[in-house]
Amino acid sequence: MNHAPALTRGQKTSYWFANHWVLAFGLMYGIFVGLPFLAPGFMKIGWEMPARALYFVYSFLCHQLPDRSFYLFGPQLTVDMNTIRAAWQDTGNLLVLRQFIGNPEIGWKVAWSDRMVSMYGSVLVAGILWGGFRKRLKALPLWAFILLALPIAFDGVSHFVSDLGGLEQGFRYTNAWLAELTGNVFPKDFYIGNAWGSFNAWMRLVTGVLFGTGIVWYGFPIIDEVAEATRRRVELRQEALDLLQKLQKQDKSGSIRI
């Protein structure tokens, strides 16, 4: 053996990702989270084709119902169903309603719903924070992750069941049960509908953040353990190669016999 083998390109790449996987995740996932916000921006400047391409791609990840989405470049962050029907179609068909992306008067819809914004966005923010404090944080136990995931499960399932009776007839649209429970202490707009500041909007925001945070707090330590094993494996190989090179230099004949 005249020359000691070196680390392969794949091993070097694995080692880099093992050391910088949080950064790599933040960059790649940040693009994924940010693209839905480009759709209304593209519509605003007249780039309709790339905007509609984004709406189409992200429609596979989200229902994109217009009354549960954020709007940019308009007077309000959210739009009620009466305004949507007046601007689009007077229908309760979900497949038709989800096609509405906005207009210049009310603004353009973000390419996924407010729940997706809170859930996916919180994963990005929590992931960045976890990267800075991971040495001080203990991994979240499975039972705690389940507790953080239960609220979004209950909220999502209850919305689905409620919508079976019609978008504006279900118990999660009127929230009459909540008004009765709280003695109507809050304004009417808090109980009814999905506008920003309503009970439904707050529930989607809070449960999305809890779930996204739980994913990071529970899952990232597991990923980091795999990354640490990869780092150590590559480092051990490098140490072995360095030792082999050192022995070769000490061998006058330029070879090592075992």
Side-chain angles (χ1 to χ4, degrees):
M1 183 185 299
N2 295 323
H3 300 287
L7 292 177
T8 66
R9 179 176 298 179
Q11 290 169 334
K12 292 179 180 178
T13 302
S14 297
Y15 187 70
W16 187 92
F17 273 102
N19 281 289
H20 304 92
W21 71 267
V22 177
L23 173 62
F25 166 81
L27 293 175
M28 292 185 290
Y29 188 77
I31 294 173
F32 169 73
V33 171
L35 284 176
F37 292 88
L38 287 182
F42 287 158
M43 291 300 298
K44 175 67 175 179
I45 63 177
W47 292 6
E48 185 171 338
M49 185 174 294
R52 291 193 177 277
L54 288 173
Y55 284 118
F56 175 76
V57 170
Y58 280 87
S59 69
F60 293 98
L61 303 174
C62 175
H63 56 65
Q64 294 183 343
L65 289 177
D67 68 320
R68 301 176 192 177
S69 300
F70 294 128
Y71 288 74
L72 303 182
F73 311 110
Q76 295 180 327
L77 187 62
T78 56
V79 180
D80 60 68
M81 285 300 301
N82 291 332
T83 303
I84 292 168
R85 288 195 174 101
W88 182 237
Q89 293 186 35
D90 186 8
T91 178
N93 189 319
L94 299 181
L95 296 179
V96 175
L97 285 172
R98 73 194 300 253
Q99 298 174 31
F100 179 69
I101 63 174
N103 59 40
E105 288 72 35
I106 65 176
W108 302 103
K109 182 176 71 174
V110 175
W112 56 16
S113 70
D114 53 359
R115 188 192 300 280
M116 298 297 103
V117 171
S118 65
M119 184 175 70
Y120 286 106
S122 64
V123 170
L124 177 62
V125 174
I128 294 173
L129 292 175
W130 182 88
F133 295 95
R134 58 181 162 181
K135 293 182 179 180
R136 305 178 188 177
L137 289 175
K138 293 182 179 180
L140 189 70
L142 179 59
W143 64 266
F145 168 68
I146 294 175
L147 286 180
L148 291 178
L150 283 177
I152 197 172
F154 283 123
D155 189 58
V157 170
S158 64
H159 262 297
F160 173 77
V161 174
S162 176
D163 290 342
L164 294 178
L167 286 180
E168 295 172 280
Q169 282 77 45
F171 65 93
R172 281 305 306 273
Y173 185 84
T174 60
N175 288 311
W177 59 274
L178 180 63
E180 182 70 20
L181 186 65
T182 59
N184 285 287
V185 67
F186 298 106
K188 181 179 179 180
D189 291 343
F190 175 77
Y191 298 105
I192 300 176
N194 298 293
W196 178 247
S198 67
F199 171 75
N200 289 338
W202 275 112
M203 283 296 294
R204 289 193 292 272
L205 173 64
V206 173
T207 59
V209 169
L210 290 176
F211 182 61
T213 302
I215 288 177
V216 171
W217 203 348
Y218 174 75
F220 274 37
I222 298 175
I223 298 174
D224 202 44
E225 287 181 4
V226 176
E228 176 61 30
T230 301
R231 286 194 295 266
R232 187 56 185 156
R233 184 169 59 250
V234 176
E235 288 170 353
L236 287 173
R237 179 174 177 81
Q238 184 63 64
E239 290 173 4
L241 294 176
D242 291 342
L243 178 60
L244 186 56
Q245 289 177 348
K246 183 178 180 180
L247 292 174
Q248 285 180 339
K249 291 179 180 179
Q250 294 177 349
D251 185 23
K252 296 181 180 180
S253 65
S255 63
I256 298 177
R257 296 179 178 86
I258 300 177

